[in-house]
Amino acid sequence: MATGFELHRHRNPATGRAWESVYTPDVLAVGEGPNAWTGFFTQQPRWSRGTYETIVRQLRKAPFSLPPGRLFN
């Protein structure tokens, strides 16, 4: 989340154009997940909290470097 946010705040130095994201349904990384439902449901709030913390920390920099459409998206 934090890396993607930072990429969208900056421009590609080679082209001067803004970075863009694309969706791909391909599996790009493989890892282990929780081995039980209880682990899954305790992991979800940690991921969510980490995402919100990233947004709060990075958002104060964003109004100066992101166009309104990307900021609210």
Side-chain angles (χ1 to χ4, degrees):
M1 176 74 183
T3 303
F5 199 85
E6 283 299 310
L7 280 174
H8 283 278
R9 288 184 52 240
H10 296 88
R11 295 189 171 272
N12 182 338
T15 64
R17 295 175 53 196
W19 292 101
E20 295 181 9
S21 295
V22 295
Y23 169 78
T24 178
D26 304 323
V27 176
L28 299 177
V30 178
E32 291 186 26
N35 57 3
W37 283 107
T38 54
F40 176 79
F41 287 112
T42 56
Q43 188 176 31
Q44 291 296 316
R46 287 197 309 266
W47 284 344
S48 178
R49 186 171 43 251
T51 298
Y52 282 115
E53 286 176 6
T54 299
I55 290 171
V56 169
R57 288 182 189 152
Q58 307 261 343
L59 197 57
R60 61 190 133 150
K61 302 177 201 172
F64 306 109
S65 59
L66 280 177
R70 286 191 180 186
L71 178 64
F72 292 115
N73 213 0

